[in-house]
């Protein structure tokens, strides 16, 4: 019988015995997997620079077999824009930021990179919470955190996809999830399209990924996936929202 490998560790992930820095049920690790698979399938690992944001994604740059660096909280888009200018259009810049890094601390760098039409790819992991620092909500989506709590954040999500769609310098926008095999493959397709847009210097692009945070949501992993499907997707629908040309 011939055995065929259908699933394995991405080759760009550096194996370490204690190299999985995420809580049980957290989908940030699934998010980095879909990014690495997209990079491998496009064959661009030799020209890619990966920039990690703050929050729960902070350990990732040291765990990838890529040119990578950890950015100060909220500043990955600005740093990516600068590196792109220094290294030229052949370099592929990918930032991986959670929603509090990109849209709470990092709103200004993200917005202005989009306004300038900087040809970088931002992957935003939206788990609707500050997973690494406490219970509070992030501005990118509602979460099952108890409404009786005195939340210091707005109760209405900032729909960054819909906001950026109005910017002339933005070339591609999509929102996906990693809650099923079908969602995973759709999201990988979005990421590959975003990177290909960057490689043609079409402009700024962003892919948002809805993700579970069972620890901070106080739900089981199964309940968290149900919340994404039934609540988050109703507020933040999945799909491609902008497919623009050059700028």
């Amino acid at each position: 019988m011939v055995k065929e490998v259908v699933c394995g560790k991405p080759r760009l992930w550096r194996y370490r015995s204690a190299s999985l820095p995420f809580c049980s049920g957290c989908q940030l690790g699934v998010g980095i997997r879909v990014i690495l698979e997209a990079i491998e399938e496009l064959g661009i690992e030799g020209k890619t620079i990966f920039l990690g944001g703050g929050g729960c994604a902070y350990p990732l740059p040291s765990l990838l077999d890529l040119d990578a660096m950890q950015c100060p909280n909220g500043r990955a888009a600005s740093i990516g824009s600068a590196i792109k200018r220094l290294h030229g259009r052949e370099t592929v810049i990918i930032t991986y930021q959670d929603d509090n890094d990109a849209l709470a601390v990092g709103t200004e760098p993200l917005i202005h990179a989009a306004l300038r039409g900087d040809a970088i790819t931002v992957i935003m992991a939206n788990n609707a919470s500050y997973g690494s620092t406490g219970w509070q909500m992030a501005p990118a989506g509602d979460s099952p955190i108890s409404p009786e709590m005195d939340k210091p954040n707005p109760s209405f999500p900032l729909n960054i996809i819909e906001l950026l769609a109005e910017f002339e310098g933005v070339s591609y926008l999509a929102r996906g999830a990693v809650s099923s095999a079908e969602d995973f493959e759709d999201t990988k397709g979005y990421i590959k399209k975003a990177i290909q847009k960057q490689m043609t210097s079409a402009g700024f692009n962003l892919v948002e990924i809805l993700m579970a945070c069972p620890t901070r949501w106080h739900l089981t992993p199964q309940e968290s996936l149900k919340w994404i499907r039934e609540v988050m997707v109703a507020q933040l629908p999945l799909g491609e929202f902008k497919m623009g040309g050059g700028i």
Side-chain angles (χ1 to χ4, degrees), residues 4 9 12 26 32 34 36 38 49 56 59 98 108 116 123 137 167 175 183 208 223:
E4 180 183 357
K9 178 178 69 69
L12 295 176
C26 172
I32 191 61
V34 73
L36 295 181
I49 297 178
C56 297
D98 61 24
E108 182 271 336
R116 292 190 300 266
I123 311 298
M137 290 171 61
F167 293 11
R175 181 184 291 121
D183 287 341
E208 179 180 1
E223 290 169 340

Side-chain angles (χ1 to χ4, degrees), residues 49-53 58 60-62 66-72 79-80 83:
I49 297 178
F50 177 94
L51 303 177
Y58 77 92
L60 286 172
S62 65
L66 289 168
D67 288 329
M69 67 171 288
Q70 175 61 40
C71 300
I79 293 171
I83 294 175

Side-chain angles (χ1 to χ4, degrees), residues 56-222:
C56 297
Y58 77 92
L60 286 172
S62 65
L63 301 176
L64 308 180
D65 193 15
L66 289 168
D67 288 329
M69 67 171 288
Q70 175 61 40
C71 300
N73 205 8
R75 300 298 180 260
S78 292
I79 293 171
S81 296
I83 294 175
K84 187 76 172 187
R85 284 170 167 76
L86 288 170
H87 287 268
R89 61 179 294 176
E90 297 302 318
T91 300
V92 175
I93 304 295
I94 298 175
T95 79
Y96 188 41
Q97 304 167 252
D98 61 24
D99 45 330
N100 78 74
D101 181 84
L103 296 187
V105 183
T107 309
E108 182 271 336
L110 181 72
I111 292 293
H112 285 278
L115 282 170
R116 292 190 300 266
D118 292 339
I120 65 173
T121 299
V122 173
I123 311 298
M124 191 185 83
N126 182 359
N127 61 13
S129 67
Y130 284 65
S132 62
T133 58
W135 55 264
Q136 69 265 40
M137 290 171 61
D142 197 7
S143 74
I145 296 170
S146 172
E148 287 75 28
M149 287 183 172
D150 181 20
K151 300 188 292 291
N153 301 95
S155 297
F156 304 102
L158 171 59
N159 292 353
I160 190 62
I161 295 286
E162 288 78 357
L163 176 64
L164 294 183
E166 302 298 320
F167 293 11
E168 293 184 12
V170 173
S171 65
Y172 183 79
L173 297 168
R175 181 184 291 121
V178 288
S179 300
S180 68
E182 293 79 8
D183 287 341
F184 183 97
E185 290 299 321
D186 287 345
T187 299
K188 180 162 62 173
Y190 301 154
I191 293 173
K192 291 170 75 171
K193 287 182 184 178
I195 293 171
Q196 289 165 335
K197 282 287 184 182
Q198 178 186 165
M199 293 171 70
T200 62
S201 299
F204 179 91
N205 54 77
L206 180 144
V207 178
E208 179 180 1
I209 309 176
L210 304 185
M211 293 185 180
C213 182
T215 299
R216 295 304 182 193
W217 291 0
H218 305 292
L219 299 176
T220 66
Q222 292 83 359

